[in-house]
Amino acid sequence: DYEYVFYLPEKFVNTFPETKGAGLWFEVLSPGNFDLAKVTLVELSGELEDNLAKADPCFLGNMFRNSRFPLGFQTGWSMNRNFCDRDMASVQVGEEKTPSGTPALKISSKLKVQVLSEPFMTENLKPQTCAFMAKGKGTWSFRVAYFKNTFTEKKVDFTSGDWIKVELPFLPDLIAKAYQLDIKGTGTLLIGDLKVGPSSMLNGIEA
């Protein structure tokens, strides 16, 4: 059984009255079988509802919709069009999982390659952090960006062969409607367990 708990603030309904509530979508990203036996919608009440109502309104959990890679590239991820997948570079499911046991994305290239994450949104003017687990070979750069505007950047030389946690703190501003994680490098990179959220609450966010 899978349980998903969400909170729909009253201000959301007031701001977008045309939605008349919320919707639930199931997206099948590749050929296969998907069995759905039962869906139940339960209205929260009591202490749990009170706690959610009092919570920080900017704390929406992980702002990455797709933070794990069981099928390789997830929806919204892309490779620079100057690189042809499996010709100059390849992107696939990693043969090794992250330390938490989730599927990783493996990027391999003998020449410099650029991979862009799905766009993600966050609250402006409040410190945020993009964090993930990574290991590999070679030098790789990681940048949180909005088009050509860079909000934070870090270069990592992978030499130990161990998984490391990479954190990219940044301060969003009013010019950006959405952000992306821009990955560039040469060699091999395994990446997974991505998460984005308020820096003060990062430890409480599940990847």
Side-chain angles (χ1 to χ4, degrees):
D1 293 343
Y2 180 80
E3 181 181 273
Y4 178 68
V5 179
F6 67 94
Y7 176 61
L8 186 63
E10 184 178 353
K11 68 177 182 179
F12 177 88
V13 179
N14 293 336
T15 305
F16 305 100
E18 68 278 6
T19 62
K20 297 181 180 179
L24 179 64
W25 288 265
F26 296 93
E27 183 177 6
V28 181
L29 300 177
S30 64
N33 298 321
F34 177 67
D35 296 324
L36 183 64
K38 183 179 181 182
V39 176
T40 304
L41 181 64
V42 179
E43 183 178 359
L44 299 176
S45 60
E47 183 179 353
L48 180 56
E49 183 181 22
D50 293 339
N51 289 338
L52 285 171
K54 295 175 183 177
D56 186 336
C58 75
F59 183 55
L60 302 176
N62 192 354
M63 300 307 292
F64 263 114
R65 298 187 306 275
N66 301 301
S67 59
R68 307 174 186 183
F69 305 92
L71 300 175
F73 253 178
Q74 291 279 35
T75 301
W77 286 69
S78 63
M79 181 185 291
N80 187 309
R81 63 185 179 183
N82 293 323
F83 299 89
C84 180
D85 192 20
R86 297 191 182 280
D87 183 5
M88 299 175 66
S90 68
V91 180
Q92 57 193 11
V93 181
E95 67 278 0
E96 183 179 347
K97 293 185 177 180
T98 67
S100 66
T102 63
L105 184 70
K106 181 179 180 181
I107 305 170
S108 303
S109 180
K110 295 181 180 179
L111 301 175
K112 188 174 183 180
V113 66
Q114 179 184 28
V115 172
L116 294 170
S117 78
E118 63 182 47
F120 59 87
M121 299 179 66
T122 187
E123 188 172 11
N124 291 327
L125 304 178
K126 289 192 176 182
Q128 306 285 315
T129 296
C130 173
F132 50 87
M133 298 299 297
K135 68 175 295 186
K137 296 180 180 178
T139 300
W140 293 81
S141 67
F142 306 97
R143 183 174 71 106
V144 173
Y146 171 65
F147 291 103
K148 293 184 178 181
N149 299 289
T150 299
F151 290 87
T152 184
E153 186 172 12
K154 179 179 291 187
K155 288 187 177 181
V156 180
D157 292 319
F158 291 95
T159 57
S160 67
D162 298 326
W163 286 96
I164 64 171
K165 184 177 182 179
V166 180
E167 293 189 354
L168 301 170
F170 66 101
L171 183 65
D173 65 21
L174 298 176
I175 67 169
K177 295 182 179 180
Y179 304 84
Q180 284 183 291
L181 176 62
D182 182 345
I183 304 169
K184 295 178 183 177
T186 304
T188 302
L189 177 70
L190 285 165
I191 183 172
D193 288 350
L194 291 97
K195 54 185 179 181
V196 173
S199 301
S200 61
M201 300 180 180
L202 191 65
N203 292 334
I205 298 177
E206 181 179 0

